[in-house]
Amino acid sequence: MMKKVRLIVALLMAVTLLSFAVSAVAKDESGITIGFSQYTLGAPYFKAQVEAAKAKAEELGVKLVAIDAQDDMVKQLGDVEDLLSQGIDVLILNPKDPKGLVPATKKATAAGVPVIIIDSSIDPSADFVTTVQSNNDENGEKVGEWLVQEMSRLMPGQRIKMALISGAKGNPVGKARRNGVFKGILEEQLRSQGQAGFDILAQGWGNWQHEGGLEAMEDILVAHPDVNVLLAENDSMALGAMRAIENAGLTPMKDIIICAAADGQKEALQLIKEGKYGATGMNSPVLTAHMAVEIAVEIAKGEEKEYPKVTYTPAICITKENVDQYYDPNAIF
């Protein structure tokens, strides 16, 4: 009899301890703190992402602490440690380097802080719940399809002679974006023409920034004056490259078709409205930030839910036909 009593007491104690553990993890909104490690604020996109995350956190009644790593991987590793020391419940991380930030995810997870990756991708060896980003592959594919159709309309019979301006070497997001466009080009050519092929005359590197796009395109135009298509991996670099095109006495969308694999920056959308810029994929910093914060709050509240390793926002190719649905002159980005 005494053995049975001791067993019942032990079971009751275990249930009590389990209930305490669950209640310690699950919090209401007022007690939740989310950390956001952004690897740079050097482009409007990333500023808009942080501001959107702050706005969503305020709307949901939670605290958000954001730190700018200033495009420095070592600083970002230190930033994550700083955020962990502040007792955050969930970490949102936009990693500067897909491999270099893996230790930060492991440290956070070991400290009991779940990690959500936003925008950029990270090495599969990292510890994280999900990656929130636009569907770079599908966005790119839609832009590639549009490009083939636009070439047939504006430059019938001409072969694509592309200047490609990429963000950063080794960046998996940039690779996914351009590969998506390439796939879209080939598939649309096969469907509409029964054959496929295009030329990439040069690849420049713009570090995701306006000035980088300008400088890369200046060099490309000197070496390859017969370029008839500009593809950039984001709008900011494409906008910079447009300056180089105009400075060379060429007309965007007449001499060179302009498109970006992703972003939806408001300056690009304004030019799309004016017919001076062709198309871009929807990569809204607001949508990604809102989704990441919502997931972070769900996790901090202890909601039982399965998350895919990648959580995508909708894939959309923004052109002159649909730009009015997405253009907001008051947007940060």
Coordinates of all heavy atoms in Angstrom, one line a residue, residues 161-166 201-205 213-227 229-231 241 244:
K161 N 20.6 39.2 -74.7 CA 22.0 39.4 -74.3 C 22.1 40.2 -73.0 O 21.9 41.4 -73.0 CB 22.7 40.2 -75.5 CG 22.8 39.5 -76.8 CD 23.4 40.3 -77.9 CE 23.5 39.5 -79.2 NZ 24.1 40.3 -80.3
M162 N 22.2 39.4 -72.0 CA 21.9 39.9 -70.6 C 23.2 40.4 -69.9 O 24.3 39.8 -69.9 CB 21.3 38.8 -69.8 CG 21.0 39.1 -68.4 SD 20.4 37.7 -67.4 CE 18.8 37.3 -68.3
A163 N 23.0 41.5 -69.2 CA 23.9 42.0 -68.1 C 23.3 41.5 -66.8 O 22.1 41.9 -66.5 CB 24.1 43.5 -68.2
L164 N 23.9 40.7 -66.0 CA 23.4 40.2 -64.8 C 24.2 40.9 -63.6 O 25.4 40.9 -63.6 CB 23.6 38.7 -64.7 CG 23.4 38.1 -63.3 CD1 21.9 38.2 -62.9 CD2 23.8 36.6 -63.3
I165 N 23.4 41.6 -62.8 CA 24.0 42.2 -61.6 C 23.5 41.5 -60.3 O 22.3 41.5 -60.0 CB 23.7 43.7 -61.5 CG1 24.3 44.4 -62.8 CG2 24.3 44.3 -60.3 CD1 24.1 45.9 -62.8
S166 N 24.5 40.8 -59.7 CA 24.2 40.0 -58.5 C 24.5 40.8 -57.2 O 25.3 41.7 -57.2 CB 24.9 38.7 -58.6 OG 24.5 38.0 -59.7
L201 N 26.2 38.1 -71.0 CA 27.4 38.6 -71.4 C 28.4 38.9 -70.3 O 29.6 38.9 -70.5 CB 27.1 39.9 -72.2 CG 26.3 39.7 -73.5 CD1 26.2 41.0 -74.3 CD2 26.7 38.6 -74.4
A202 N 27.8 39.2 -69.1 CA 28.7 39.6 -68.0 C 27.9 39.5 -66.7 O 26.6 39.7 -66.7 CB 29.2 41.0 -68.1
Q203 N 28.5 39.2 -65.6 CA 28.0 39.2 -64.3 C 28.7 40.2 -63.4 O 30.0 40.1 -63.3 CB 28.0 37.8 -63.6 CG 27.4 37.8 -62.2 CD 27.5 36.5 -61.5 OE1 28.4 35.7 -61.8 NE2 26.6 36.2 -60.6
G204 N 28.0 41.2 -62.9 CA 28.7 42.2 -62.0 C 28.1 42.0 -60.6 O 27.1 41.3 -60.4
W205 N 28.8 42.6 -59.6 CA 28.4 42.4 -58.2 C 28.2 43.8 -57.6 O 29.1 44.6 -57.6 CB 29.5 41.7 -57.4 CG 29.8 40.3 -58.0 CD1 30.7 39.9 -58.9 CD2 29.1 39.1 -57.6 NE1 30.6 38.6 -59.2 CE2 29.6 38.1 -58.4 CE3 28.0 38.8 -56.8 CZ2 29.1 36.8 -58.4 CZ3 27.5 37.5 -56.7 CH2 28.1 36.5 -57.5
G213 N 25.2 48.8 -58.1 CA 24.6 48.6 -59.4 C 25.1 49.5 -60.4 O 25.3 49.1 -61.6
L214 N 25.2 50.8 -60.0 CA 25.8 51.8 -61.0 C 27.2 51.5 -61.4 O 27.4 51.4 -62.7 CB 25.8 53.2 -60.3 CG 26.5 54.3 -61.0 CD1 25.9 54.7 -62.3 CD2 26.6 55.6 -60.1
E215 N 28.0 51.2 -60.5 CA 29.4 50.9 -60.9 C 29.6 49.6 -61.7 O 30.3 49.5 -62.7 CB 30.3 50.8 -59.6 CG 30.4 52.1 -58.9 CD 31.0 52.0 -57.5 OE1 31.5 50.8 -57.2 OE2 31.1 53.0 -56.7
A216 N 28.8 48.6 -61.3 CA 28.9 47.3 -62.0 C 28.4 47.5 -63.5 O 29.0 47.0 -64.4 CB 28.0 46.2 -61.3
M217 N 27.3 48.3 -63.7 CA 26.8 48.4 -65.0 C 27.7 49.3 -65.9 O 27.8 49.1 -67.1 CB 25.4 49.1 -64.9 CG 24.6 49.0 -66.2 SD 24.3 47.2 -66.7 CE 23.5 47.4 -68.3
E218 N 28.3 50.3 -65.3 CA 29.3 51.1 -66.0 C 30.4 50.2 -66.6 O 30.7 50.4 -67.8 CB 29.9 52.1 -65.1 CG 29.0 53.3 -64.8 CD 29.6 54.3 -63.8 OE1 30.6 53.9 -63.0 OE2 29.1 55.4 -63.7
D219 N 30.9 49.3 -65.8 CA 31.9 48.4 -66.3 C 31.4 47.5 -67.4 O 32.1 47.2 -68.4 CB 32.5 47.6 -65.1 CG 33.3 48.4 -64.1 OD1 33.7 49.6 -64.5 OD2 33.4 48.0 -63.0
I220 N 30.2 47.0 -67.2 CA 29.6 46.0 -68.2 C 29.4 46.7 -69.5 O 29.7 46.1 -70.6 CB 28.3 45.4 -67.6 CG1 28.6 44.5 -66.5 CG2 27.6 44.7 -68.7 CD1 27.4 44.0 -65.7
L221 N 28.9 47.9 -69.5 CA 28.6 48.6 -70.8 C 29.9 48.9 -71.5 O 29.8 49.0 -72.8 CB 27.8 49.9 -70.5 CG 26.3 49.7 -70.1 CD1 25.7 51.0 -69.7 CD2 25.5 49.0 -71.2
V222 N 31.0 49.2 -70.8 CA 32.2 49.4 -71.5 C 32.7 48.2 -72.3 O 33.1 48.2 -73.4 CB 33.3 49.9 -70.5 CG1 34.7 49.9 -71.2 CG2 33.0 51.3 -70.0
A223 N 32.6 47.0 -71.6 CA 33.0 45.8 -72.2 C 32.0 45.1 -73.1 O 32.4 44.4 -74.1 CB 33.3 44.8 -71.0
H224 N 30.7 45.4 -72.9 CA 29.7 44.8 -73.7 C 28.6 45.8 -74.1 O 27.5 45.8 -73.6 CB 29.0 43.6 -72.9 CG 30.0 42.6 -72.5 ND1 30.5 41.6 -73.3 CD2 30.6 42.4 -71.3 CE1 31.3 40.8 -72.6 NE2 31.4 41.3 -71.4
P225 N 28.9 46.6 -75.1 CA 27.9 47.7 -75.5 C 26.7 47.1 -76.2 O 25.7 47.8 -76.4 CB 28.7 48.6 -76.4 CG 29.8 47.7 -76.9 CD 30.2 46.8 -75.8
D226 N 26.7 45.8 -76.5 CA 25.5 45.2 -77.2 C 24.5 44.6 -76.2 O 23.6 43.9 -76.7 CB 26.0 44.2 -78.2 CG 26.9 43.1 -77.6 OD1 27.5 43.3 -76.5 OD2 27.0 42.0 -78.2
V227 N 24.7 44.8 -74.9 CA 23.7 44.3 -74.0 C 22.3 44.9 -74.3 O 22.1 46.0 -74.6 CB 24.1 44.8 -72.5 CG1 22.9 44.7 -71.6 CG2 25.2 44.0 -72.0
V229 N 19.5 43.5 -72.3 CA 18.6 43.2 -71.1 C 19.5 43.4 -69.9 O 20.6 42.9 -69.8 CB 18.1 41.7 -71.1 CG1 17.5 41.3 -69.8 CG2 17.1 41.5 -72.2
L230 N 18.9 44.0 -68.9 CA 19.5 44.1 -67.6 C 18.7 43.3 -66.6 O 17.5 43.6 -66.5 CB 19.6 45.6 -67.1 CG 19.8 45.7 -65.5 CD1 21.2 45.2 -65.1 CD2 19.6 47.1 -65.1
L231 N 19.3 42.3 -65.9 CA 18.6 41.6 -64.8 C 19.4 41.9 -63.6 O 20.6 41.5 -63.5 CB 18.5 40.1 -65.1 CG 18.1 39.3 -63.9 CD1 16.7 39.6 -63.5 CD2 18.3 37.8 -64.2
A241 N 21.9 50.8 -61.8 CA 22.3 50.4 -63.2 C 21.6 51.3 -64.2 O 22.2 51.6 -65.3 CB 22.0 48.9 -63.4
A244 N 23.5 54.3 -65.0 CA 24.7 54.0 -65.9 C 24.2 53.9 -67.3 O 24.8 54.4 -68.2 CB 25.4 52.8 -65.4

